[in-house]
């Protein structure tokens, strides 16, 4: 473990790469340029506001927001004022949210949600919880006691569960506030259709036809409610699934490409690299599961 002023880091003993890190920030220097990290990023902005650019969209965030990004997801924070907060980075080998989905239920809520902004508003009660837990993490990382890894993972799980519950509540409130028109039904039907067909149907026109709406009208809805094009949404969903397969399985890139509706492995690899900024093989090598036994690194 290495420490610096207000920063504590655990590295992978096999590669020397980051496994877990927590640090305080008092400006935007860490996030004012495009990030594509090979680990999960949780950025709790306790003071200040601004905009976050992520994937194909841009969203405004308020004070006391928790930003969440998955490995190689592009993001950048833009703010005209000083921001302060706490950031936590963790590699999938340190804690795999896919393998522990039943425990924390954050995949598709905090992370990998193509339909919602990548942040959660933190209320007062949760603010107290997160402040306490992050302080305990810092204290624990200054020691080298037995079972430190297990304790750090327990703290991380509390943060993920707390934020996931909040995000779920906020999504339910947002849904309840939608106007009493056919739009909410179209949007829900679109979500269902993408989840059902993204592996075989890559064209926006397919979804417009399936929902009995013109492509132009559907494009306007997706831009208004999701702040991105339908093509972007389909691409994001494909990439999320490809990453999951590269991360959790030993399937070849060709096999994954075929399962996602691509007969040409090379075309799929180019598509993946354009959207993830890294080749499928490099993603597997830098993010893939089971490359480190965490207990040996603490």
């Amino acid at each position: 473990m290495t420490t610096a002023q207000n920063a504590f880091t655990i590295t992978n003993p096999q590669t020397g790469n980051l496994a877990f890190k927590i640090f305080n920030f008092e400006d935007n220097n860490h996030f004012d340029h495009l990030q594509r990290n090979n680990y999960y990023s949780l950025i709790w902005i306790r003071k200040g506001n601004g905009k976050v650019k992520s994937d194909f969209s841009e969203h405004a965030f308020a004070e006391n927001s928790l930003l969440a990004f998955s490995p190689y997801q592009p993001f950048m924070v833009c703010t005209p004022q000083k921001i302060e907060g706490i950031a936590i980075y963790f590699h999938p080998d340190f804690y795999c949210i896919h393998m522990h989905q039943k425990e924390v239920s954050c995949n598709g809520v905090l992370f990998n949600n193509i339909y919602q902004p990548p942040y959660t508003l933190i209320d007062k009660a949760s603010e107290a919880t997160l402040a306490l837990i992050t302080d305990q993490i810092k204290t624990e990382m200054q020691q080298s006691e037995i079972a430190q890894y297990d304790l750090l993972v327990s703290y991380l799980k509390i943060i993920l569960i707390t934020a996931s519950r909040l995000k779920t509540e906020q999504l339910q409130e947002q849904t309840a506030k939608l106007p009493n028109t056919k739009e909410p039904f179209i949007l829900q039907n679109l979500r269902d259709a993408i989840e059902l067909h993204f592996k075989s149907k890559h064209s926006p026109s397919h979804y417009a036809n399936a929902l009995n709406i013109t492509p132009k009208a559907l494009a306007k809805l997706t831009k208004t409610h999701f702040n991105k094009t339908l093509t972007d949404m389909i691409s994001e969903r494909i990439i999320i699934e490809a990453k999951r397969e590269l991360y959790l399985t030993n399937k070849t890139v060709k096999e994954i490409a075929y399962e996602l509706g691509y007969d040409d492995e090379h075309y799929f690899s180019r598509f993946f690299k354009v959207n993830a900024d890294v080749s499928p093989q490099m993603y597997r090598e830098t993010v893939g599961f089971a490359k480190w036994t965490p207990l040996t690194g603490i």
Side-chain angles (χ1 to χ4, degrees), residues 86-121:
I86 300 171
I88 296 176
Y89 298 156
F90 64 99
H91 191 276
D93 283 344
F94 183 85
Y95 186 72
C96 172
I97 66 169
H98 293 292
M99 298 287 287
H100 299 91
Q101 175 64 8
K102 290 183 179 180
E103 296 178 15
V104 296
S105 301
C106 61
N107 189 39
V109 181
L110 293 183
F111 303 102
N112 298 324
N113 187 334
I114 66 174
Y115 308 106
Q116 297 294 331
Y119 62 77
T120 304
L121 299 176

Side-chain angles (χ1 to χ4, degrees), residues 112-257:
N112 298 324
N113 187 334
I114 66 174
Y115 308 106
Q116 297 294 331
Y119 62 77
T120 304
L121 299 176
I122 304 301
D123 61 20
K124 289 298 181 182
S126 299
E127 180 181 7
T129 298
L130 295 186
L132 176 63
I133 295 300
T134 51
D135 283 344
Q136 290 177 325
I137 289 174
K138 294 173 189 175
T139 299
E140 181 63 26
M141 291 184 71
Q142 296 178 65
Q143 306 174 24
S144 297
E145 301 296 334
I146 189 171
Q148 185 189 58
Y149 166 75
D150 297 301
L151 191 53
L152 290 175
V153 167
S154 295
Y155 289 148
L156 178 60
K157 285 163 62 175
I158 292 173
I159 293 172
L160 295 175
I161 291 169
T162 299
S164 295
R165 287 175 176 175
L166 269 180
K167 185 68 173 282
T168 300
E169 291 173 4
Q170 291 165 16
L171 294 180
Q172 291 172 346
E173 291 173 0
Q174 291 172 15
T175 300
K177 292 178 181 178
L178 285 173
N180 187 23
T181 66
K182 65 179 181 179
E183 287 187 10
F185 300 100
I186 294 175
L187 295 174
Q188 184 57 55
N189 288 340
L190 175 60
R191 292 189 185 97
D192 295 341
I194 291 176
E195 289 302 312
L196 186 62
H197 298 295
F198 74 89
K199 293 182 180 180
S200 59
K201 307 295 183 183
H202 302 164
S203 170
S205 62
H206 166 83
Y207 297 94
N209 292 335
L211 297 176
N212 196 27
I213 186 175
T214 67
K216 185 176 181 180
L218 185 57
K220 184 177 180 180
L221 276 178
T222 58
K223 189 64 177 177
T224 299
H225 292 277
F226 302 129
N227 200 25
K228 61 187 73 174
T229 69
L230 181 52
T231 297
D232 292 338
M233 293 172 64
I234 298 167
S235 297
E236 282 184 60
R237 187 62 186 87
I238 293 169
I239 293 298
I240 287 170
E241 190 68 15
K243 287 179 176 179
R244 192 188 72 84
E245 292 293 317
L246 289 166
Y247 179 78
L248 291 177
T249 76
N250 292 320
K251 295 176 184 176
T252 66
V253 173
K254 184 176 182 179
E255 288 174 322
I256 295 172

